[in-house]
Amino acid sequence: MASVLLVEDDATIRTALTRGLRDRGHAVSSAPTAMDGLRGALEDRPDLVVLDLGLPDLDGVEMLRMLRAVSRVPVIVATARDGDAAMVGALDAGADDYVVKPFSAAQLDARVRAVLRRAGESPADSSVQVGELRLDPRTREAALGGDPLDLTPREFDLLHYLAAREGQVIGKRELLTQVWQIPYGGADKTVDVHLSWLRRKLKETAQHPRYLHTVRGVGVKLVDPA
């Protein structure tokens, strides 16, 4: 069973799809507008979003771009727009699948299951090892040289995000967006403080780094000390 957020302004379609997905074992919540959908996606953290494009307050593609700034939740666009330009635009904006109305609840259910299978195979969900540092996002366990690391949830997310991108310099704005899910504003100091805590737990300092290296004016990268 998956938790699905359905963003659809047509009450008849919303009711029919909600019933069809629930009959197939999914937990379904719904929103009639883009802004309600954004709130639901961020507050309820569904497994997947089904998104109409013709919403009354904001075009669905714009909502999708806003959502992608703060979340990697899988999104299936379900719309009456059948042109190539609409499909390409939605996929480029971050949609994982695109289905044109009319379609059956059975077809949508199959697409939901397929997208979630692909999402479950994502490298973001895989364990990561860099040197003696190992992180497993499925169990939320981290270890250094075989010894468990006592990390807060945010520390784990930050360390895993960097480890999964070994050797890449990641800017603080990207970290605030992807780890803290703050699309606009936010303080770089928040990142600095958490990096300081992580360095302490990794038994290193900013002056003598092993895993976490600051690139002045650019960001931070995680590397294998070896």
Side-chain angles (χ1 to χ4, degrees), residues 1-2 8 11 15 20 55 58 77 123 127 135 144 184 199 215 224:
M1 181 183 73
E8 167 64 63
T15 298
L55 299 170
L58 194 68
V77 167
S127 61
L135 300 106
L144 181 64
Y184 310 107
R199 286 191 173 102
V215 179
D224 184 343

Side-chain angles (χ1 to χ4, degrees), residues 183-202:
Y184 310 107
D188 289 354
K189 191 68 174 176
T190 299
V191 178
D192 293 335
V193 169
H194 281 76
L195 288 173
S196 176
W197 292 341
L198 283 175
R199 286 191 173 102
R200 192 176 310 148
K201 294 179 179 182
L202 294 173

